[in-house]
Amino acid sequence: MLIVKKFGGTSVANKERIFNVARRCIEDYKAGNQVVVVLSAMGKQTDVLLDMAKDINPKASRREMDMLLTTGEQTSVALMAMAMDSLGVPAVSLNAFQVAMHTTADYSNAKLKRIDTERIYNELENRKIVVITGFQGIDKYDDYTTLGRGGSDTTAVALASALHADACEIYTDVDGVYTADPRVVPKARKLEVITYDEMLELASLGAGVLHNRSVEMAKKYGVQLVVRSSLNKNEGTIVKEDTKMEKMLVSGVATDKNVVQISVEGLENKPGVAFKLFQHLANHNVNVDMILQSVEHGGKQDISFTVTEEDADIALETIERHAESSLKCDTVNVTRDVAKVSVVGAGMMTHPGVAAKMFEALYDCGVNIRQISTSEIRVTVLIDEKYVETAAQNVHEKFSL
Ligand code: ADP
Ligand code: ASP
Ligand code: MG
C-alpha cells in the first residue's frame, strides 16, 4: 500500500514527538508499505515567524512572508529524516521546490495546481520514506508560496490524490473530528464518520481540525480521509462521501473568533451600490462572508458584512478611500469583538425548525444575535465574542449532540 501520513505542529513539537512520529511511520514502512509523510512546522513555529516579521516590518510583502514561513516546514522535514535515519530507516526530506508542487502566485493563499510525482516515486522505489513539507508550493516565478494557515492538510490530500495513495491519514492532537471543538465544548463527542459536505461546512466555519480546502479537494478527487491522534492509537474519524449513512439532523457546532464586522451606513438606496462596494473589496482580494442589508430608512440603507481579522484593515482602508467619491456613505463602523457560531447537519435539508431551535438555545442563555446566515445544511449566527463558549455549549446541549 502507498500511505500518505500528515502530522501537524503539535505532533512534531519537540524531539520526543519527532521520534514518536518517526516510529509510527517506520511501523508502516516495515510492514511493507510505501510511506509518504507530510509535516507542518514544529509547534507554534509559524506564529513565531509571523511575530518576527511583524517586529521587523509590519507591512512586509506577502512574497517575503512566504519565503520566511516556508522555513518552518523545511526545518521539521529535515529533522524528521534525520530521526528516521538514526533509527536505521532510509528517509529523504523534500521541499516544494524539490518535489515540485506548483501553485498559483497568490502569496499567502496560493492554490495547488499540479504536483510532479517522478521524484517521489523514484525515492519510494528506492525504499525510502519520503518526508515532504506541507503548506508550501512554488509559483511560475520559482518563488515560494504558502497555501494559507492550516494548509498542510491540503498538501497531504493533494499528494494522496496525485500519487493515487491507498490511504490518507491526518494525525493531530485530538483523536478525531468532534461534534464541536473539545476546547470550547468539553462535552463534545467524537464522530465515527462524517460526510465531505458536513466536514467542509464545519471546516469553513472555523473547525480548524481540517483545512477547508483539503476537504474540498478530498471530495473532488474522492480521497477518503481519516483524522486521528498522533499521541494515541484510538480509531479516528473517517471523512468520506455520503453513503447510506443515516443523516444526522445536526452533526456539529463550529465556532470562529477570527471575524470582524464592518457596517457601511447611509448608502444611497439605488441599483449598483452593493455592486460598487463589493467590487472595491474584491479588487483588493478581500473575502467577504456574512452580508446583511438593512431596510430603507429616510432614502438611505446600511450594509453590514464580516471579514477575517487579516482582511479587516485593508477592507477599511478600501472603503474609506472610496467613501466620498464612489460609495457616498455617511459612516463606517467596525466591531472587532464578534464571533460566529454555526450548526451543521445534512439532515437539515429535510427537517424544518433547526434555526428556531438554535435561536431558542441562544435565548435560553441570553445571547443576542447580530446577524444570521444560512445554507442548505447550516445555520450561522454572529454574536459578541465574549459569549462564544456559552453559546456553543448551549447550542450543543440543545441538539443533544
Ligand atoms: P494540527 O497542528 O495537527 O494541524 P490543528 O490545531 O490545526 O492541528 O487542529 C486541531 C485542533 O482543532 C484541535 O486541537 C481542536 O482544538 C480544534 N478543533 C476545532 N474544531 C474541532 C472539531 N470539531 N473536532 C476536533 N477538533 C477541533
Ligand atoms: N504551519 C502552517 C500553519 O501553522 C501550516 C499547517 O500547520 O498546516 O498554519
Ligand atoms: Mg491544522
Side-chain angles (χ1 to χ4, degrees):
M1 289 220 304
L2 195 163
I3 308 175
V4 173
K5 300 167 90 72
K6 180 262 169 180
F7 296 86
T10 29
S11 304
V12 293
N14 53 39
K15 178 178 166 185
E16 188 198 336
R17 297 259 171 97
I18 288 178
F19 274 102
N20 168 55
V21 168
R23 286 196 189 89
R24 286 190 85 143
C25 297
I26 287 172
E27 241 174 71
D28 282 336
Y29 172 87
K30 290 203 165 151
N33 300 296
Q34 296 184 309
V35 181
V36 173
V37 185
V38 176
L39 298 183
S40 294
M42 293 169 68
K44 299 244 171 281
Q45 181 62 14
T46 307
D47 295 322
V48 171
L49 293 169
L50 281 168
D51 285 345
M52 284 166 77
K54 213 168 167 188
D55 192 33
I56 297 272
N57 177 0
K59 289 195 182 295
S61 74
R62 291 188 177 201
R63 187 228 176 245
E64 296 306 334
M65 288 306 298
D66 282 0
M67 187 68 182
L68 178 70
L69 294 188
T70 48
T71 63
E73 271 65 17
Q74 194 158 322
T75 305
S76 42
V77 293
L79 292 174
M80 183 60 70
M82 293 177 200
M84 289 171 170
D85 179 62
S86 80
L87 296 171
V89 171
V92 59
S93 64
L94 298 176
N95 67 14
F97 213 93
Q98 293 164 316
V99 166
M101 292 193 267
H102 304 273
T103 69
T104 59
D106 307 303
Y107 302 106
S108 83
N109 192 26
K111 311 269 180 310
L112 274 164
K113 292 200 304 195
R114 183 169 52 85
I115 297 182
D116 296 345
T117 49
E118 198 184 329
R119 173 84 190 259
I120 302 175
Y121 279 131
N122 285 343
E123 302 288 1
L124 290 172
E125 214 48 42
N126 291 329
R127 278 309 280 153
K128 288 198 180 150
I129 296 183
V130 185
V131 191
I132 300 177
T133 47
F135 180 52
Q136 57 178 252
I138 48 163
D139 67 11
K140 61 182 174 192
Y141 310 109
D142 280 354
D143 280 342
Y144 279 107
T145 56
T146 64
L147 309 181
R149 297 304 306 268
S152 297
D153 301 326
T154 302
T155 309
V157 174
L159 278 165
S161 166
L163 297 167
H164 308 290
D166 300 287
C168 183
E169 304 165 349
I170 310 285
Y171 290 84
T172 181
D173 56 2
V174 275
D175 48 11
V177 178
Y178 278 64
T179 49
D181 185 341
R183 290 176 213 272
V184 178
V185 181
K187 285 188 187 158
R189 191 174 48 78
K190 190 174 82 185
L191 297 163
E192 251 172 65
V193 25
I194 185 166
T195 65
Y196 290 129
D197 287 339
E198 288 172 315
M199 191 63 238
L200 185 56
E201 289 279 4
L202 283 176
S204 307
L205 293 163
V209 62
L210 282 178
H211 192 226
N212 61 350
R213 287 223 310 283
S214 73
V215 187
E216 213 168 68
M217 197 176 283
K219 178 179 159 80
K220 188 165 167 198
Y221 297 106
V223 178
Q224 186 168 310
L225 306 178
V226 52
V227 179
R228 53 190 302 195
S229 171
S230 64
L231 306 169
N232 60 48
K233 297 250 169 159
N234 295 350
E235 276 191 33
T237 302
I238 295 168
V239 187
K240 62 176 194 174
E241 194 55 74
D242 195 1
T243 48
K244 285 188 202 73
M245 25 170 161
E246 198 183 330
K247 292 207 172 39
M248 277 184 292
L249 180 59
V250 167
S251 58
V253 175
T255 55
D256 189 356
K257 292 184 180 175
N258 183 7
V259 185
V260 173
Q261 187 184 36
I262 298 179
S263 301
V264 188
E265 295 172 6
L267 288 157
E268 291 175 279
N269 189 15
K270 63 174 197 188
V273 171
F275 164 63
K276 257 193 257 169
L277 171 61
F278 293 112
Q279 184 72 41
H280 288 311
L281 294 168
N283 288 343
H284 288 87
N285 287 323
V286 173
N287 258 323
V288 173
D289 187 18
M290 301 170 85
I291 300 176
L292 178 73
Q293 180 173 326
S294 72
V295 290
E296 188 190 88
H297 50 87
K300 300 274 183 137
Q301 63 166 346
D302 313 325
I303 295 182
S304 297
F305 58 90
T306 61
V307 294
T308 60
E309 274 157 20
E310 296 78 46
D311 278 354
D313 289 340
I314 184 143
L316 277 173
E317 277 169 35
T318 306
I319 296 170
E320 273 155 14
R321 196 169 332 119
H322 296 286
E324 271 183 33
S325 57
S326 146
L327 296 171
K328 301 191 174 38
C329 59
D330 297 335
T331 49
V332 183
N333 281 318
V334 190
T335 318
R336 291 184 188 266
D337 43 5
V338 289
K340 287 193 295 187
V341 177
S342 311
V343 290
V344 170
M348 270 182 219
M349 276 192 273
T350 46
H351 289 80
V354 171
K357 200 163 166 176
M358 180 177 189
F359 303 156
E360 186 186 12
L362 296 168
Y363 167 68
D364 288 347
C365 57
V367 172
N368 192 38
I369 301 170
R370 290 171 160 267
Q371 222 168 301
I372 300 167
S373 83
T374 62
S375 84
E376 267 188 321
I377 64 165
R378 77 167 163 87
V379 182
T380 301
V381 295
L382 189 72
I383 61 169
D384 289 349
E385 187 172 308
K386 62 181 180 223
Y387 297 125
V388 72
E389 278 85 11
T390 315
Q393 286 162 13
N394 266 275
V395 170
H396 193 267
E397 188 91 33
K398 183 64 97 187
F399 286 95
S400 316
L401 287 171

